[in-house]
Amino acid sequence: MANVTEVRQNVSMIISRVVETREPAVILQRSKPVVYVVEASAYEELLKKVEAADRLLRVEETKNALQDLADLRKRMASKGKQQDSVPLIRDLREGKSR
């Protein structure tokens, strides 16, 4: 941890320590953390993990949407020919199940 004044005076030392230890440095302003200084490869690794988590979330959302569609098809098929599908579609949009 270092405050803004220490960063101004010792920026090279702080960067060297972060690169050497691969541990982030916390920069404080008025005793509150405002910035983390991280080594470049650690930051890039973190970005890759975030992107992978985002892809996984999108896959799960797609699976859920496909399952909702399959459930809708089953409900519609079980009711036979339906004159008005608007209530069923409205319920699906609103997350209600029948």
Side-chain angles (χ1 to χ4, degrees):
M1 286 194 228
N3 64 38
V4 174
T5 304
E6 290 174 296
V7 172
R8 279 190 220 130
Q9 295 169 354
N10 302 312
V11 71
S12 294
M13 182 189 71
I14 292 169
I15 291 172
S16 295
R17 189 175 343 135
V18 167
V19 170
E20 184 180 304
T21 64
R22 291 191 50 126
E23 292 292 322
V26 180
I27 309 302
L28 305 173
Q29 189 171 38
R30 296 188 179 103
S31 301
K32 294 182 182 176
V34 291
V35 175
Y36 288 91
V37 178
V38 295
E39 196 248 341
S41 64
Y43 177 76
E44 290 166 0
E45 187 178 314
L46 181 63
L47 280 182
K48 287 178 186 176
K49 289 179 181 179
V50 168
E51 290 169 359
D54 187 50
R55 280 192 303 273
L56 183 59
L57 178 62
R58 282 184 276 153
V59 166
E60 287 300 315
E61 288 173 344
T62 301
K63 282 182 183 178
N64 291 338
L66 290 173
Q67 185 60 50
D68 289 346
L69 285 173
D71 293 344
L72 174 62
R73 283 184 178 166
K74 285 180 187 175
R75 286 193 312 224
M76 291 179 79
S78 70
K79 293 183 180 204
K81 189 173 181 180
Q82 195 171 329
Q83 289 186 350
D84 186 10
S85 62
V86 172
L88 183 62
I89 293 171
R90 185 179 300 126
D91 287 348
L92 181 65
R93 274 193 213 135
E94 294 172 1
K96 298 177 185 175
S97 60
R98 291 185 171 206

